Amino acid sequence: MRKSERKQLKKALREDSLNLFGEIIVKLREKEDLSQEDLAYDCGMDRSSMSKIETGRNAPSIITLFHLAQGLNTKPSVILAMFEEKMLKEKVEIPKGEG
């Protein structure tokens, strides 16, 4: 596989994984009957940042994961377990770091 093809595949895998993570956040937020704005406020961020996480356009930091878990009345480990389960179910490879 050529370098350009590997780079394109890595980008697609990253986008797929971020979209799946965002779907989990939306599901948990709706379960808690929170608006996107309410959750963003509870996490100390603005609604547009929350939107970017939920739509897979932004990867949350580990600190943001903890804030999300607190705002969603759950633990980071629960979110990560849901993410791992969804990744395996969807057969999405976890992308390796950039480089």
Side-chain angles (χ1 to χ4, degrees):
M1 183 181 294
R2 295 172 53 198
K3 186 175 180 178
S4 62
E5 291 170 329
R6 285 193 311 269
K7 190 173 182 176
Q8 189 174 9
L9 177 61
K10 189 184 289 188
K11 181 180 178 189
L13 290 172
R14 185 178 198 288
E15 290 172 358
D16 288 348
S17 61
L18 289 176
N19 286 332
L20 292 177
F21 186 85
E23 289 172 15
I24 290 166
I25 299 304
V26 171
K27 180 180 179 179
L28 291 170
R29 177 176 58 77
E30 290 175 347
K31 180 181 173 195
E32 290 294 316
D33 198 30
L34 292 169
S35 70
Q36 195 178 68
E37 188 170 10
D38 289 338
L39 179 57
Y41 179 81
D42 291 347
C43 294
M45 65 177 74
D46 58 34
R47 191 208 53 78
S48 65
S49 296
M50 184 61 65
S51 174
K52 288 177 183 176
I53 291 170
E54 288 188 355
T55 58
R57 291 180 289 151
N58 196 11
S61 70
I62 191 73
I63 299 300
T64 301
L65 173 63
F66 277 79
H67 288 286
L68 287 168
Q70 186 174 22
L72 293 166
N73 297 311
T74 192
K75 296 178 181 179
S77 59
V78 171
I79 296 172
L80 291 174
M82 291 174 72
F83 179 61
E84 181 180 22
E85 183 179 325
K86 197 163 184 72
M87 293 282 283
L88 292 171
K89 182 180 177 186
E90 300 285 329
K91 295 185 174 131
V92 174
E93 291 183 41
I94 297 173
K96 294 187 167 90
E98 299 296 321

